[in-house]
Amino acid sequence: MTDGPALPKTSSGSVRALARGLAVLRHVNEVGEARPGEIARALGLPRPTVYRLLETLEELGYVAFSATSQYVRVTRFAAALGDGHALTAEIAQAAGPIFGEYAGQVVWPLDLTVYHNAAMVIQETTHGRSPLSIDRGMTGYRLPMLRTSAGRAYLAFCPDEERALILDHLRRLGDPADLPFLEERWLLRMISETRARGLAIRDSGEFRAETASIAAPIRAGTGLLGCISLIWIRSAMGTGKALSEYGAPLAEIAGRIAAALPD
């Protein structure tokens, strides 16, 4: 974090509170998302103070707590502080309530992911409240591009130029687990099948052997904002059943999230 000007010890309480509030807002904006305890440790502030400041910032509309976790993010009203995470925050804010609306229909866990630095990063998830999830604390988790449905969906639906850059990056990273999926024949088939289906699939134990997943792109106009994934236990359901029962609701959720974003 970039340090602001130091306040003199004689500063009034109101000035000190303002400085602390701005420091909290600046920190959240720079890291993208954080829990109150993490903010307290990073800034050297008491945790109760951080909670009070966040409550005030939320009331003013500058930050918002995740609907499914303890993470806090900046809102579009704070976009003037820097646009690096503003859109991601808006997508996550839109997803939380929509996930809640589908809780009765989609019991398997859902993940909202966005692309960042050769990975899909989970921004919102229902793992914590799904009775069928075998994972917890997934917000912020980085998913590989080639071995997850979210990554495959992103690669299939992103612009050609962006896909080429991502694949070049993955080749330079040289993860041995990625090598079979970097073969041109596999990539062309995956992209073609995913586009035709409208959903990407991971069901061969290539990432987490006990689970499988499908993913739908979140598209606004000609842009690709992220992906929505549904994760299930492989021994409990086959891919065909997952596609027939959950493919349409998953695409519907992705469309609703895109529609909920401000123009």
Side-chain angles (χ1 to χ4, degrees):
M1 187 187 75
T2 303
D3 294 333
L7 291 172
K9 294 182 179 180
T10 55
S11 295
S12 69
S14 59
V15 172
R16 188 176 299 108
L18 174 60
R20 287 177 168 180
L22 290 173
V24 168
L25 187 57
R26 186 166 59 244
H27 178 77
V28 175
N29 185 67
E30 289 181 355
V31 301
E33 61 180 11
R35 295 185 178 95
E38 295 170 344
I39 299 170
R41 287 192 295 272
L43 300 180
L45 295 173
R47 187 174 297 194
T49 299
V50 170
Y51 272 105
R52 288 196 298 271
L53 292 169
L54 288 172
E55 288 174 356
T56 300
L57 290 168
E58 186 177 37
E59 289 175 3
L60 294 173
Y62 289 105
V63 303
F65 280 90
S66 164
T68 58
S69 69
Q70 282 297 306
Y71 281 93
V72 64
R73 303 179 178 94
V74 297
T75 68
R76 58 192 174 93
F77 296 108
L81 298 174
D83 60 2
H85 300 282
L87 180 57
T88 296
E90 289 180 354
I91 299 171
Q93 285 177 251
I98 295 172
F99 280 177
E101 292 180 32
Y102 284 81
Q105 182 180 359
V106 181
V107 184
W108 291 104
L110 298 169
D111 287 337
L112 162 69
T113 56
V114 298
Y115 175 77
H116 181 259
N117 194 25
M120 298 300 291
V121 183
I122 298 176
Q123 302 293 327
E124 282 290 342
T125 181
T126 63
H127 274 288
R129 64 193 187 199
S130 170
L132 302 180
S133 174
I134 60 174
D135 297 304
R136 292 293 185 270
M138 295 298 289
T139 304
Y141 193 90
R142 294 174 62 82
L143 301 174
M145 295 297 298
L146 294 164
R147 292 174 283 122
T148 63
S149 60
R152 292 172 180 178
Y154 194 90
L155 287 169
F157 292 102
C158 71
D160 293 343
E161 296 81 2
E162 183 180 7
R163 184 186 314 108
L165 290 173
I166 293 172
L167 292 174
D168 285 346
H169 191 173
L170 293 171
R171 291 186 179 99
R172 288 195 301 272
L173 291 175
D175 187 337
D178 282 342
L179 296 182
F181 306 104
L182 283 167
E183 294 181 0
E184 193 69 18
R185 182 179 299 177
W186 183 90
L187 282 168
L188 291 174
R189 185 176 68 253
M190 183 276 290
I191 291 169
S192 175
E193 292 177 353
T194 299
R195 287 177 174 174
R197 192 188 303 114
L199 298 166
I201 294 174
R202 167 187 67 89
D203 64 353
S204 301
E206 58 269 60
F207 177 51
R208 293 191 170 185
E210 68 274 23
T211 67
S213 64
I214 56 176
I218 302 172
R219 291 183 282 186
T222 59
L224 178 60
L225 306 179
C227 298
I228 297 293
S229 305
L230 179 137
I231 303 92
W232 71 91
I233 299 171
R234 292 175 68 195
S235 60
M237 182 170 62
T239 303
K241 183 177 181 180
L243 287 170
S244 64
E245 291 192 7
Y246 298 107
L250 195 65
E252 186 176 298
I253 291 170
R256 287 193 57 191
I257 291 173
L261 297 175
D263 295 332

